Amino acid sequence: MTETVTRSTRSRVLLNSDMGEGVGLHEFGNDVELMRLIDVANVACGYHAGDPDVMNRTVGLAAEHGVAVGAHPGLPDPVGFGRRRMALQPEEVESIILYQVGALTAFLAKHGLELNHIKPHGALYGMLAGDEELMAAAASTAKQFGVPFYGLAGTQHEAVCRDLGVEFVPELYVDLNYGPEGQLLIQRRPEPTDPASAAERVRRAVAGQPVLAVDGTELDITFASICVHSDAPNSVAVASAVRDVLTDR
């Protein structure tokens, strides 16, 4: 079972990245370079991005580099890249996640891999964090496949997983800012992150020191994995800086 980092522990922390976010000839991210740096890939499953060829190629690349693969299901909104909220009922959330995870598992089987986890994408991730009923629908899919759920500690992600007996893996983000309540501030368009600042956030966090929100609020974030988004312009430099910190621990 994955161990978490709090103020009193210094366990191994895994580096994950959202990948396979392309359609046809239009691809986003630095997947090839990042695959050499990460431990876990969250692969888009066809709704916000990730057509069959992209999924097949991304899973094959992960298999080649010994990287674990989880499903990264999103909202059915490719124009908005899954970053715009939608009004959904719990049964709809369950269906769209089940559909996408099922598609990815076919490619995993082809390449001799097993599903490692489920981590929702973009607006869906945020919707589940604040809605117990929607999150219960998502967690039921993780339970069906017998895999952990990646999310934010202290939110419905964690609470519902605990109630339903689903393993929960809390994340720390280094290329997104946090609001004063610990909420992620999702950007419609990714912007460059200063690699030195990302490394410093990780250095402080693994030492048990608080992460600063945009207004200076000190946040005590429990985490077992660190996410670096692949579609930021300098994501490879950011991931390299984070990897250096984790290697030096």
Side-chain angles (χ1 to χ4, degrees):
M1 180 177 293
T2 303
E3 298 182 47
T4 58
V5 173
T6 65
R7 287 187 181 278
S8 60
T9 65
R10 291 172 59 84
S11 305
R12 180 170 183 255
V13 177
L14 300 178
L15 182 58
N16 77 78
S17 186
D18 304 341
M19 294 191 159
E21 295 183 320
V23 177
L25 299 178
H26 307 284
E27 294 192 39
F28 311 93
N30 300 286
D31 291 7
V32 174
E33 295 87 351
L34 285 170
M35 206 67 83
R36 301 184 179 97
L37 297 167
I38 64 172
D39 304 294
V40 179
N42 318 303
V43 177
C45 308
Y47 268 16
H48 75 282
D51 67 24
D53 286 338
V54 174
M55 278 194 281
N56 181 45
R57 188 163 58 252
T58 306
V59 172
L61 187 63
E64 179 183 339
H65 287 84
V67 172
V69 175
H72 196 43
L75 296 174
D77 179 25
V79 174
F81 204 65
R83 290 174 177 157
R84 304 183 293 190
R85 289 182 173 240
M86 299 177 68
L88 297 175
Q89 296 298 314
E91 56 269 23
E92 293 176 303
V93 168
E94 181 179 12
S95 293
I96 66 173
I97 294 177
L98 182 60
Y99 181 88
Q100 293 176 83
V101 176
L104 181 65
T105 58
F107 293 104
L108 291 172
K110 174 185 175 180
H111 292 280
L113 299 180
E114 295 183 355
L115 182 68
N116 186 71
H117 66 279
I118 295 174
K119 172 188 170 179
H121 164 81
L124 180 59
Y125 187 93
M127 290 163 59
L128 301 181
D131 191 305
E132 181 180 359
E133 291 186 351
L134 296 183
M135 180 56 209
S140 69
T141 306
K143 191 168 186 175
Q144 175 180 336
F145 282 92
V147 295
F149 184 95
Y150 277 44
L152 289 179
T155 70
Q156 292 298 330
H157 291 167
E158 181 177 25
V160 171
C161 283
R162 181 177 59 245
D163 291 344
L164 295 183
V166 174
E167 183 180 351
F168 176 69
V169 179
E171 296 185 286
L172 172 71
Y173 284 81
V174 297
D175 51 12
L176 290 175
N177 288 319
Y178 287 88
E181 302 300 320
Q183 72 275 27
L184 283 176
L185 303 180
I186 305 294
Q187 300 168 313
R188 287 290 301 278
R189 293 181 181 274
E191 297 180 358
T193 296
D194 177 19
S197 296
E200 180 60 20
R201 176 176 288 185
V202 173
R203 193 174 292 111
R204 288 174 56 86
V206 297
Q209 298 175 6
V211 170
L212 299 181
V214 289
D215 66 347
T217 299
E218 294 187 344
L219 304 172
D220 189 10
I221 298 177
T222 298
F223 63 98
S225 189
I226 297 172
C227 179
V228 174
H229 289 93
S230 65
D231 59 344
N234 64 335
S235 59
V236 175
V238 173
S240 295
V242 172
R243 173 56 70 198
D244 288 343
V245 174
L246 296 179
T247 300
D248 291 341
R249 291 179 65 214

Short mmCIF file of all heavy atoms in Angstrom, two decimals, residues 6-41:
data_model
loop_
_atom_site.label_atom_id
_atom_site.label_comp_id
_atom_site.label_asym_id
_atom_site.label_seq_id
_atom_site.Cartn_x
_atom_site.Cartn_y
_atom_site.Cartn_z
N THR A 6 3.28 13.15 5.73
CA THR A 6 2.69 14.16 6.60
C THR A 6 3.84 14.87 7.30
O THR A 6 5.01 14.70 6.93
CB THR A 6 1.77 13.51 7.64
OG1 THR A 6 2.57 12.68 8.51
CG2 THR A 6 0.71 12.63 6.98
N ARG A 7 3.55 15.63 8.32
CA ARG A 7 4.60 16.32 9.05
C ARG A 7 5.55 15.36 9.74
O ARG A 7 6.68 15.72 10.07
CB ARG A 7 3.99 17.26 10.10
CG ARG A 7 3.34 18.49 9.50
CD ARG A 7 2.90 19.45 10.59
NE ARG A 7 2.26 20.63 10.03
CZ ARG A 7 2.89 21.68 9.54
NH1 ARG A 7 4.21 21.68 9.51
NH2 ARG A 7 2.25 22.71 9.05
N SER A 8 5.13 14.12 9.95
CA SER A 8 5.95 13.20 10.74
C SER A 8 6.52 12.03 9.94
O SER A 8 7.21 11.20 10.50
CB SER A 8 5.12 12.64 11.90
OG SER A 8 4.00 11.94 11.42
N THR A 9 6.24 11.94 8.63
CA THR A 9 6.76 10.82 7.86
C THR A 9 7.52 11.31 6.63
O THR A 9 7.28 12.39 6.12
CB THR A 9 5.62 9.90 7.37
OG1 THR A 9 4.79 10.62 6.46
CG2 THR A 9 4.78 9.41 8.53
N ARG A 10 8.45 10.44 6.18
CA ARG A 10 9.26 10.78 5.01
C ARG A 10 9.34 9.56 4.10
O ARG A 10 10.40 9.09 3.75
CB ARG A 10 10.65 11.22 5.44
CG ARG A 10 10.66 12.56 6.16
CD ARG A 10 12.04 12.86 6.74
NE ARG A 10 13.08 12.88 5.73
CZ ARG A 10 13.36 13.92 4.97
NH1 ARG A 10 12.68 15.03 5.09
NH2 ARG A 10 14.33 13.87 4.08
N SER A 11 8.18 9.01 3.71
CA SER A 11 8.12 7.82 2.89
C SER A 11 8.43 8.15 1.43
O SER A 11 8.47 9.31 1.04
CB SER A 11 6.74 7.19 3.00
OG SER A 11 6.41 6.93 4.36
N ARG A 12 8.60 7.09 0.63
CA ARG A 12 8.83 7.29 -0.80
C ARG A 12 7.62 7.94 -1.43
O ARG A 12 6.48 7.55 -1.19
CB ARG A 12 9.13 5.96 -1.48
CG ARG A 12 9.38 6.10 -2.97
CD ARG A 12 9.90 4.82 -3.56
NE ARG A 12 10.19 5.01 -4.98
CZ ARG A 12 9.42 4.54 -5.96
NH1 ARG A 12 8.34 3.86 -5.67
NH2 ARG A 12 9.74 4.75 -7.21
N VAL A 13 7.87 8.94 -2.26
CA VAL A 13 6.81 9.67 -2.94
C VAL A 13 6.93 9.41 -4.43
O VAL A 13 8.01 9.50 -5.01
CB VAL A 13 6.91 11.19 -2.66
CG1 VAL A 13 5.85 11.95 -3.44
CG2 VAL A 13 6.78 11.46 -1.17
N LEU A 14 5.81 9.07 -5.08
CA LEU A 14 5.79 8.77 -6.50
C LEU A 14 5.47 10.02 -7.32
O LEU A 14 4.64 10.84 -6.91
CB LEU A 14 4.76 7.68 -6.80
CG LEU A 14 4.97 6.34 -6.09
CD1 LEU A 14 3.85 5.38 -6.45
CD2 LEU A 14 6.33 5.75 -6.42
N LEU A 15 6.10 10.13 -8.46
CA LEU A 15 5.87 11.25 -9.37
C LEU A 15 4.93 10.79 -10.47
O LEU A 15 5.19 9.80 -11.16
CB LEU A 15 7.20 11.72 -9.96
CG LEU A 15 7.18 12.93 -10.91
CD1 LEU A 15 6.59 14.15 -10.22
CD2 LEU A 15 8.59 13.22 -11.41
N ASN A 16 3.80 11.50 -10.63
CA ASN A 16 2.84 11.12 -11.67
C ASN A 16 2.61 12.28 -12.64
O ASN A 16 2.88 13.44 -12.33
CB ASN A 16 1.53 10.64 -11.05
CG ASN A 16 0.65 11.77 -10.54
OD1 ASN A 16 -0.04 12.44 -11.31
ND2 ASN A 16 0.62 11.97 -9.21
N SER A 17 2.12 11.93 -13.83
CA SER A 17 1.85 12.95 -14.85
C SER A 17 0.67 12.54 -15.70
O SER A 17 0.47 11.35 -15.99
CB SER A 17 3.09 13.15 -15.74
OG SER A 17 2.90 14.22 -16.64
N ASP A 18 -0.13 13.53 -16.12
CA ASP A 18 -1.27 13.30 -17.01
C ASP A 18 -0.77 13.23 -18.44
O ASP A 18 -0.13 14.17 -18.93
CB ASP A 18 -2.28 14.44 -16.88
CG ASP A 18 -2.75 14.63 -15.44
OD1 ASP A 18 -2.58 13.70 -14.63
OD2 ASP A 18 -3.26 15.71 -15.13
N MET A 19 -1.09 12.14 -19.13
CA MET A 19 -0.50 11.90 -20.45
C MET A 19 -1.52 11.43 -21.47
O MET A 19 -2.69 11.20 -21.16
CB MET A 19 0.62 10.87 -20.32
CG MET A 19 1.80 11.35 -19.51
SD MET A 19 3.19 10.24 -19.66
CE MET A 19 4.52 11.34 -19.17
N GLY A 20 -1.05 11.29 -22.71
CA GLY A 20 -1.91 10.82 -23.78
C GLY A 20 -3.00 11.81 -24.15
O GLY A 20 -4.05 11.42 -24.65
N GLU A 21 -2.74 13.08 -23.93
CA GLU A 21 -3.76 14.10 -24.14
C GLU A 21 -3.66 14.68 -25.55
O GLU A 21 -3.17 15.80 -25.76
CB GLU A 21 -3.67 15.17 -23.06
CG GLU A 21 -3.99 14.59 -21.69
CD GLU A 21 -4.00 15.60 -20.57
OE1 GLU A 21 -3.14 16.48 -20.56
OE2 GLU A 21 -4.86 15.49 -19.70
N GLY A 22 -4.10 13.89 -26.51
CA GLY A 22 -4.09 14.31 -27.90
C GLY A 22 -5.23 13.66 -28.65
O GLY A 22 -5.86 12.71 -28.19
N VAL A 23 -5.50 14.17 -29.85
CA VAL A 23 -6.50 13.59 -30.75
C VAL A 23 -5.94 13.67 -32.16
O VAL A 23 -5.61 14.76 -32.64
CB VAL A 23 -7.84 14.34 -30.68
CG1 VAL A 23 -8.82 13.75 -31.68
CG2 VAL A 23 -8.42 14.27 -29.27
N GLY A 24 -5.80 12.53 -32.81
CA GLY A 24 -5.27 12.53 -34.17
C GLY A 24 -3.88 13.14 -34.23
O GLY A 24 -2.98 12.75 -33.49
N LEU A 25 -3.72 14.11 -35.13
CA LEU A 25 -2.42 14.76 -35.30
C LEU A 25 -2.18 15.85 -34.26
O LEU A 25 -1.08 16.41 -34.19
CB LEU A 25 -2.33 15.38 -36.70
CG LEU A 25 -2.44 14.41 -37.87
CD1 LEU A 25 -2.37 15.17 -39.19
CD2 LEU A 25 -1.34 13.34 -37.81
N HIS A 26 -3.18 16.16 -33.46
CA HIS A 26 -3.08 17.25 -32.48
C HIS A 26 -2.79 16.67 -31.11
O HIS A 26 -3.67 16.11 -30.46
CB HIS A 26 -4.37 18.07 -32.46
CG HIS A 26 -4.78 18.54 -33.82
ND1 HIS A 26 -4.16 19.59 -34.46
CD2 HIS A 26 -5.74 18.09 -34.67
CE1 HIS A 26 -4.72 19.78 -35.64
NE2 HIS A 26 -5.68 18.88 -35.79
N GLU A 27 -1.54 16.78 -30.67
CA GLU A 27 -1.15 16.23 -29.39
C GLU A 27 -0.58 17.32 -28.49
O GLU A 27 0.06 18.26 -28.95
CB GLU A 27 -0.13 15.11 -29.57
CG GLU A 27 -0.72 13.90 -30.28
CD GLU A 27 0.18 12.69 -30.22
OE1 GLU A 27 0.79 12.47 -29.16
OE2 GLU A 27 0.27 11.96 -31.22
N PHE A 28 -0.83 17.15 -27.20
CA PHE A 28 -0.36 18.11 -26.21
C PHE A 28 0.49 17.37 -25.19
O PHE A 28 0.18 16.25 -24.81
CB PHE A 28 -1.56 18.76 -25.50
CG PHE A 28 -2.60 19.29 -26.45
CD1 PHE A 28 -3.68 18.50 -26.80
CD2 PHE A 28 -2.49 20.55 -26.99
CE1 PHE A 28 -4.65 18.97 -27.67
CE2 PHE A 28 -3.44 21.02 -27.88
CZ PHE A 28 -4.52 20.23 -28.22
N GLY A 29 1.52 18.01 -24.75
CA GLY A 29 2.33 17.40 -23.71
C GLY A 29 3.68 16.94 -24.21
O GLY A 29 3.96 16.90 -25.41
N ASN A 30 4.52 16.59 -23.25
CA ASN A 30 5.89 16.15 -23.52
C ASN A 30 6.05 14.71 -23.03
O ASN A 30 6.93 14.40 -22.22
CB ASN A 30 6.87 17.08 -22.80
CG ASN A 30 6.74 18.52 -23.27
OD1 ASN A 30 7.16 18.87 -24.37
ND2 ASN A 30 6.15 19.36 -22.44
N ASP A 31 5.18 13.84 -23.52
CA ASP A 31 5.09 12.49 -22.97
C ASP A 31 6.39 11.70 -23.10
O ASP A 31 6.79 11.00 -22.16
CB ASP A 31 3.97 11.72 -23.66
CG ASP A 31 2.59 12.26 -23.30
OD1 ASP A 31 2.52 13.31 -22.63
OD2 ASP A 31 1.59 11.65 -23.71
N VAL A 32 7.04 11.77 -24.24
CA VAL A 32 8.24 10.96 -24.46
C VAL A 32 9.33 11.31 -23.46
O VAL A 32 9.94 10.44 -22.83
CB VAL A 32 8.75 11.13 -25.90
CG1 VAL A 32 10.07 10.39 -26.09
CG2 VAL A 32 7.72 10.61 -26.90
N GLU A 33 9.57 12.60 -23.26
CA GLU A 33 10.61 13.03 -22.33
C GLU A 33 10.22 12.76 -20.89
O GLU A 33 11.03 12.32 -20.07
CB GLU A 33 10.91 14.52 -22.52
CG GLU A 33 11.51 14.89 -23.87
CD GLU A 33 10.43 15.15 -24.92
OE1 GLU A 33 9.24 14.87 -24.65
OE2 GLU A 33 10.79 15.61 -26.02
N LEU A 34 8.95 13.01 -20.56
CA LEU A 34 8.50 12.84 -19.18
C LEU A 34 8.48 11.38 -18.76
O LEU A 34 8.68 11.07 -17.58
CB LEU A 34 7.10 13.44 -19.00
CG LEU A 34 7.03 14.96 -18.96
CD1 LEU A 34 5.59 15.44 -19.02
CD2 LEU A 34 7.70 15.49 -17.69
N MET A 35 8.23 10.48 -19.69
CA MET A 35 8.13 9.07 -19.33
C MET A 35 9.43 8.55 -18.73
O MET A 35 9.44 7.56 -17.99
CB MET A 35 7.75 8.25 -20.56
CG MET A 35 7.05 6.95 -20.27
SD MET A 35 5.39 7.13 -19.56
CE MET A 35 4.38 7.38 -21.02
N ARG A 36 10.53 9.23 -18.99
CA ARG A 36 11.82 8.82 -18.42
C ARG A 36 11.99 9.31 -16.98
O ARG A 36 12.94 8.90 -16.29
CB ARG A 36 12.97 9.37 -19.27
CG ARG A 36 12.95 8.91 -20.73
CD ARG A 36 14.17 9.41 -21.48
NE ARG A 36 14.18 8.95 -22.86
CZ ARG A 36 13.75 9.67 -23.89
NH1 ARG A 36 13.28 10.89 -23.69
NH2 ARG A 36 13.79 9.18 -25.11
N LEU A 37 11.09 10.19 -16.55
CA LEU A 37 11.25 10.83 -15.24
C LEU A 37 10.21 10.40 -14.21
O LEU A 37 10.44 10.52 -13.01
CB LEU A 37 11.16 12.36 -15.40
CG LEU A 37 12.23 13.03 -16.25
CD1 LEU A 37 11.83 14.47 -16.56
CD2 LEU A 37 13.57 13.00 -15.52
N ILE A 38 9.06 9.91 -14.67
CA ILE A 38 7.93 9.67 -13.77
C ILE A 38 7.84 8.21 -13.34
O ILE A 38 8.49 7.33 -13.91
CB ILE A 38 6.61 10.11 -14.41
CG1 ILE A 38 6.31 9.26 -15.64
CG2 ILE A 38 6.65 11.60 -14.76
CD1 ILE A 38 4.92 9.51 -16.23
N ASP A 39 7.01 7.99 -12.33
CA ASP A 39 6.72 6.63 -11.86
C ASP A 39 5.36 6.15 -12.35
O ASP A 39 5.15 4.94 -12.53
CB ASP A 39 6.71 6.59 -10.32
CG ASP A 39 8.00 7.09 -9.73
OD1 ASP A 39 9.03 6.44 -9.93
OD2 ASP A 39 7.98 8.15 -9.06
N VAL A 40 4.43 7.09 -12.53
CA VAL A 40 3.04 6.76 -12.81
C VAL A 40 2.50 7.68 -13.89
O VAL A 40 2.70 8.90 -13.83
CB VAL A 40 2.18 6.90 -11.54
CG1 VAL A 40 0.72 6.58 -11.84
CG2 VAL A 40 2.71 6.02 -10.42
N ALA A 41 1.81 7.12 -14.88
CA ALA A 41 1.16 7.91 -15.93
C ALA A 41 -0.35 7.80 -15.80
O ALA A 41 -0.89 6.70 -15.64
CB ALA A 41 1.58 7.41 -17.31
#
